[in-house]
Amino acid sequence: MSINARTLKSSLFTNSHGADGNYKIKVKEIVDENFQDYKKSSMMIACTKCDFKCFTELGLKPDICQNMMVTQKKSIEVSLSDIFDRYKSNLITNAIVIGGLEPMLQFREFYNLISYFRENNCYDDFVIYTGYYEDEIVGELSLLRELENIIVKFGRFIPNSKKVFDNVLGIYLASDNQYAERIC
């Protein structure tokens, strides 16, 4: 999955100044107030794509995925400015969680979203739930480290594994191989 950070960065933006507020990303849904994926009240943005690596690597069918219902939802396009305005107008949320499926398969879109928030002086935590491990997304992590307040949850779901409490997220994760790290 990981690609060279310089090559990746050259393809990220819609113009030479970065993504503007009219740039649209595809999502499955946006939940304004989510209390289950992070210790802070968060806006949850569900991705549109997944390679179901958690299951295919184990020779299992992905129909047991807890996020299978997300795949059934219709994808919608939302502008960066609409997401930003919606987030800022909610006095309860203090972070943004990107997950639901696999954010790294939409890296350009979500990198532009985070960049837009930073360009508009919002430095709240972004939590990215990925099934990939650090060594699989080295280029992407290098670019994310240029931003501020980024937490990444790494690791694939393993059925019948013990859940584990993660101190960074402040919640239990479904598999004992999963962990979160504040990367910047």
Side-chain angles (χ1 to χ4, degrees):
M1 170 76 191
S2 183
I3 55 179
N4 178 287
R6 187 176 305 150
T7 302
L8 182 60
K9 189 165 191 169
S10 68
S11 71
L12 287 178
F13 301 112
T14 57
N15 61 50
S16 61
H17 306 293
D20 67 29
N22 295 318
Y23 179 81
K24 292 186 177 189
I25 64 172
K26 285 187 178 181
V27 301
K28 287 290 188 177
E29 72 178 328
I30 298 174
V31 178
D32 291 304
E33 296 169 9
N34 179 353
F35 302 93
Q36 68 186 29
D37 297 310
Y38 188 42
K39 59 189 167 189
K40 296 179 181 179
S41 174
S42 307
M43 171 184 271
M44 166 54 162
I45 302 174
C47 307
T48 63
K49 300 176 183 179
C50 192
D51 52 15
F52 298 103
K53 201 177 243 234
C54 301
F55 302 98
T56 58
E57 287 183 351
L58 297 173
L60 300 172
K61 293 184 178 184
D63 58 354
I64 62 171
C65 176
Q66 72 177 13
N67 292 316
M68 192 52 67
M69 289 178 49
V70 175
T71 67
Q72 306 303 315
K73 296 181 184 224
K74 184 180 178 190
S75 296
I76 56 173
E77 283 192 345
V78 186
S79 72
L80 302 183
S81 62
D82 286 346
I83 295 171
F84 180 82
D85 293 343
R86 187 169 164 176
Y87 176 76
K88 292 302 283 182
S89 70
N90 188 325
L91 301 177
I92 294 174
T93 52
N94 299 313
I96 300 95
V97 173
I98 301 172
L101 293 173
E102 180 50 64
M104 292 302 159
L105 298 178
Q106 291 179 258
F107 185 78
R108 175 187 171 144
E109 292 172 273
F110 290 117
Y111 182 90
N112 284 333
L113 175 66
I114 299 167
S115 295
Y116 184 79
F117 271 64
R118 300 308 186 240
E119 290 165 8
N120 286 281
N121 297 312
C122 181
Y123 295 93
D124 294 354
D125 291 344
F126 267 84
V127 180
I128 301 170
Y129 270 70
T130 181
Y132 287 96
Y133 295 101
E134 291 178 74
D135 63 335
E136 297 174 308
I137 53 173
V138 173
E140 291 85 349
L141 293 174
S142 176
L143 290 172
L144 289 170
R145 284 186 178 101
E146 295 175 4
L147 306 171
E148 293 182 48
N149 298 325
I150 306 293
I151 298 165
V152 180
K153 189 287 300 173
F154 297 100
R156 298 187 235 313
F157 168 71
I158 299 176
N160 304 314
S161 182
K162 286 176 48 177
K163 67 181 181 178
V164 61
F165 186 80
D166 185 88
N167 289 319
V168 174
L169 296 174
I171 63 160
Y172 281 92
L173 294 172
S175 303
D176 58 9
N177 64 303
Q178 297 175 320
Y179 62 96
E181 184 177 309
R182 181 176 289 276
I183 65 168
C184 63

